[in-house]
Amino acid sequence: MSSFSIAPAAALMLPAAGPFFLVLVALFLVGRFPSVRPDRRVFLADLSVLSGILLVFGVFDSPSLRHFLHPEQPLDWIPLLASATFSVRNLFSRLPSPVIEAVMTLTGLLILLMPLLRQGELPGGAREVALIYAAWMAIRLLYPVGNISGDDRMFLIPLLLATGALSLISPLSGSLLLGQLAGGMAAVTGAMVLAALTGTVPFTAIEAGWVLGALLLVGWQYVDIAGIVVGSLAGSLFLGAVSARLVRKIPGRFLWGRYALVIACTLALLIIGVARTLKTLKDQGGGY
């Protein structure tokens, strides 16, 4: 991309308002029915988030839904894999969720990288897959999720910031589609944050995190976003989760201070990724 302007970029992201309001309204309605069993409320809230994710792909990448049951490109697989993760988690809810997610993440990782593995274009092959998988699961396990309590809203902050950063970096790195999908996911995550601030809607955010991981993987391996940039985004998720775990020990009266610390820790690495992208664009003669 040789130039970048805020106004056209904002116009291209306007369709993300649909998923944002869908998820926000759906979560609000789920929160208005306290008589529903706690585990069922989490299920309905997660289903609302998954619906928003599918709408994001429907709005920005409609072929991925037309090819839902027979994906052709790596991006086409993401809606199906996210839906499969949600379905398997709930069908086998008596098993520990991390075990199910570990299996589904490995399956998804192999599927997304299969074109490169078949052509021998993935440096290191199985070793590279193992390292990516270990990093993906290490980040996931830092985010606590309860089947009834859902995710702690503080842990949504790194997810929102990293997704928003990817939506900025991807168009500058040459993929408007990936940027639009990330922007749509940022809108969905933003709706989750607003709903979580009410404290009445528990959800796990597992599928939203899974999709962000898949988008980072596609951006790195197929869009050629620099490894250091992808690493800074993944690192921000890691550092954000670690800081959220630490600051939860600070007394409750310093709530906004805790949020500020998590935001600062997350942004510390995100700034590196954005700065590196802008420097690369400038060195190539592009404007921004």
Side-chain angles (χ1 to χ4, degrees):
M1 177 174 279
S2 60
S3 62
F4 180 75
S5 177
I6 295 297
L12 288 170
M13 288 311 305
L14 280 177
F20 171 81
F21 285 111
L22 168 70
V23 174
L24 185 61
V25 171
L27 292 177
F28 176 82
L29 291 175
V30 171
R32 301 281 78 78
F33 295 99
S35 59
V36 178
R37 278 179 11 201
D39 60 333
R40 194 53 49 186
R41 291 177 69 198
V42 173
F43 170 82
L44 292 174
D46 282 354
L47 181 60
S48 300
V49 173
L50 177 63
S51 300
I53 292 172
L54 295 179
L55 182 58
V56 166
F57 278 83
V59 168
F60 293 114
D61 187 24
S62 56
S64 65
L65 293 190
R66 289 201 300 270
H67 303 154
F68 184 79
L69 295 178
H70 48 91
E72 297 180 354
Q73 304 296 328
L75 279 177
D76 293 347
W77 278 97
I78 295 178
L80 176 59
L81 291 171
S83 301
T85 300
F86 172 82
S87 300
V88 173
R89 277 201 306 111
N90 287 281
L91 285 173
F92 300 96
S93 57
R94 294 188 178 183
L95 294 176
S97 181
V99 173
I100 298 173
E101 293 174 60
V103 174
M104 296 305 298
T105 297
L106 179 59
T107 302
L109 180 63
L110 292 173
I111 289 173
L112 292 174
L113 293 178
M114 190 56 67
L116 298 178
L117 291 171
R118 285 177 175 173
Q119 298 171 20
E121 296 181 3
L122 187 67
R127 181 173 59 86
E128 187 84 0
V129 172
L131 290 174
I132 295 172
Y133 179 65
W136 194 337
M137 287 306 302
I139 292 173
R140 162 62 191 92
L141 293 175
L142 280 172
Y143 287 76
V145 175
N147 292 332
I148 294 178
S149 61
D151 197 3
D152 187 323
R153 59 190 179 186
M154 191 174 297
F155 288 85
L156 293 173
I157 294 174
L159 182 63
L160 174 62
L161 294 177
T163 310
L166 180 61
S167 70
L168 170 66
I169 288 171
S170 295
L172 296 177
S173 299
S175 177
L176 177 60
L177 174 58
L178 187 64
Q180 287 179 307
L181 291 173
M185 287 302 303
V188 168
T189 309
M192 294 161 62
V193 171
L194 288 178
L197 290 176
T198 67
T200 59
V201 188
F203 46 79
T204 67
I206 288 173
E207 278 66 45
W210 198 99
V211 171
L212 174 58
L215 291 176
L216 285 173
L217 179 66
V218 170
W220 180 25
Q221 297 294 336
Y222 295 97
V223 179
D224 292 330
I225 296 177
I228 189 173
V229 174
V230 173
S232 72
L233 295 178
S236 72
L237 291 170
F238 182 90
L239 189 58
V242 170
S243 63
R245 282 182 173 271
L246 293 176
V247 302
R248 284 197 300 179
K249 299 178 181 179
I250 299 176
R253 61 180 178 275
F254 299 111
L255 178 62
W256 291 110
R258 289 188 288 173
Y259 278 104
L261 285 172
V262 174
I263 291 172
C265 290
T266 304
L267 288 177
L269 288 179
L270 288 180
I271 290 172
I272 294 175
V274 174
R276 175 59 182 266
T277 302
L278 294 176
K279 182 179 184 302
T280 300
L281 185 66
K282 184 178 180 180
D283 290 344
Q284 292 173 348
Y288 57 89

